[in-house]
Amino acid sequence: QVQLVESGGGLVQPGGSLRLSCAASGSIITYYTMGWYRQAPGKQRELVARITSSATTYYVDSVKGRFTISRDNVKNTVYLQMNSLKPDDTGVYYCNRPIALFDWGQGTQVTVSS
C-alpha cells in the first residue's frame, strides 16, 4: 500500500514561487509515471504535470514554462517547482500515479493572492 504525503504549499503573492514535495512510502515509485494534480475551488481535479520513469515530462498548457516537475528516486519523492504563480493556480495540489491511482493523500493547499 503506497502512502503519498504532499507538502510545501502556502500563501504566496502573484508572481511568487513555491516548491511542492510528494514523499511516497510503502513502495518504490521509481518505475512509475507520477503526476501532480490540482483541484481548484468548485472544479474537478486536473492533471497539470507528469513525469515518466525516464524523466520525460508533460505539462498542461496553462502551466507550461512556469512549472517544473522532477523526481528524486533515492528519496522516493516527486517535486513540483512553481514559478510566476497566478491567482488561477490556487487550489489543493495532490500527487498520484495517473495510471492505476493510489489512494489520494491529503494534498497541500496553494493560495495565490495579493
Side-chain angles (χ1 to χ4, degrees):
Q1 187 79 1
V2 174
Q3 291 83 42
L4 301 169
V5 178
E6 300 92 349
S7 63
L11 172 63
V12 64
Q13 292 188 341
S17 298
L18 286 173
R19 188 193 194 207
L20 307 184
S21 299
C22 169
S25 61
S27 180
I28 302 298
I29 62 170
T30 301
Y31 302 109
Y32 301 140
T33 292
M34 294 295 293
W36 279 98
Y37 295 75
R38 173 173 67 201
Q39 187 161 23
K43 295 187 177 180
Q44 288 191 331
R45 198 172 296 177
E46 66 168 339
L47 180 67
V48 298
R50 67 172 182 254
I51 184 167
T52 69
S53 58
S54 58
T56 299
T57 57
Y58 157 85
Y59 301 93
V60 68
D61 285 347
S62 61
V63 309
K64 270 181 192 174
R66 301 187 298 119
F67 290 11
T68 303
I69 188 171
S70 61
R71 65 195 307 163
D72 184 329
N73 292 331
V74 173
K75 294 183 178 180
N76 216 32
T77 299
V78 180
Y79 302 98
L80 187 68
Q81 177 68 42
M82 305 188 297
N83 298 328
S84 303
L85 282 161
K86 303 176 181 180
D88 283 351
D89 296 318
T90 294
V92 181
Y93 284 72
Y94 303 85
C95 69
N96 213 318
R97 181 177 62 173
I99 297 175
L101 293 170
F102 299 122
D103 289 341
W104 292 97
Q106 85 288 349
T108 186
Q109 175 71 47
V110 172
T111 303
V112 184
S113 174
S114 54

